[in-house]
Amino acid sequence: MNYFSLTPQVKRWLRFVVGGGMNTGFSYLIYLLGGLVFSYQVAYFIAYVSGIIFSYWFNARFVFHIPLSWKGLLSYPLVYLVQYLISALLLGSAVEYLGINKYIAPLAITLITLPLTYCMSKLLLGAGKNAPSRHSP
């Protein structure tokens, strides 16, 4: 099976996952470079905000194929706020009540929240069936 034989929905999901990986690498690079100039807290803040902007751009353009807008950019951090709150709750429960190792739990939480993040991104970006989009292979 190759990429071109996959359904459009599976292709979009794969682009979302690849974009998340790219965003992680991009944010980490910004953090490392920022750490050369700023304190680690300032570097982290810059990297985090840069990651949100990159994620908005990548998901709008390459995952959901919707036009960029100021409204979309300014509302997109809501995805990260909801994701963080749910992840923090799940992480605390996994470590404190289920006894899952604190170094392993975040990886499992990421996998669990990935579909939620995808759906929230799709909803917030207005990439539903009624939204204008351009389809690509």
Side-chain angles (χ1 to χ4, degrees):
M1 177 182 296
N2 66 33
Y3 178 79
F4 298 106
S5 67
L6 300 174
T7 67
Q9 293 81 7
V10 172
K11 289 178 187 178
R12 185 172 48 227
W13 177 255
L14 288 174
R15 289 191 305 263
F16 180 79
V17 171
V18 168
M22 290 172 50
N23 188 28
T24 299
F26 170 76
S27 297
Y28 189 59
L29 180 63
I30 295 294
Y31 173 74
L32 292 176
L33 293 174
L36 298 174
V37 180
F38 305 108
S39 72
Y40 73 91
Q41 288 289 6
V42 172
Y44 183 75
F45 176 78
I46 292 169
Y48 195 81
V49 171
S50 298
I52 292 172
I53 294 168
F54 177 85
S55 180
Y56 167 71
W57 172 78
F58 188 89
N59 285 326
R61 298 291 295 154
F62 298 105
V63 176
F64 300 112
H65 302 291
I66 61 163
L68 300 174
S69 71
W70 284 108
K71 179 182 175 188
L73 177 62
L74 295 176
S75 62
Y76 196 71
L78 289 174
V79 171
Y80 283 89
L81 176 63
V82 172
Q83 178 196 36
Y84 175 79
L85 293 174
I86 292 171
S87 295
L89 179 64
L90 290 173
L91 180 63
S93 298
V95 172
E96 299 296 326
Y97 300 112
L98 299 177
I100 298 175
N101 182 291
K102 67 181 180 181
Y103 298 109
I104 302 298
L107 300 174
I109 301 304
T110 298
L111 292 176
I112 291 168
T113 59
L114 193 62
L116 174 66
T117 304
Y118 174 85
C119 291
M120 287 188 311
S121 296
K122 183 177 179 179
L123 179 68
L124 200 71
L125 292 174
K129 293 182 181 184
N130 297 331
S133 67
R134 72 178 167 83
H135 299 283
S136 72

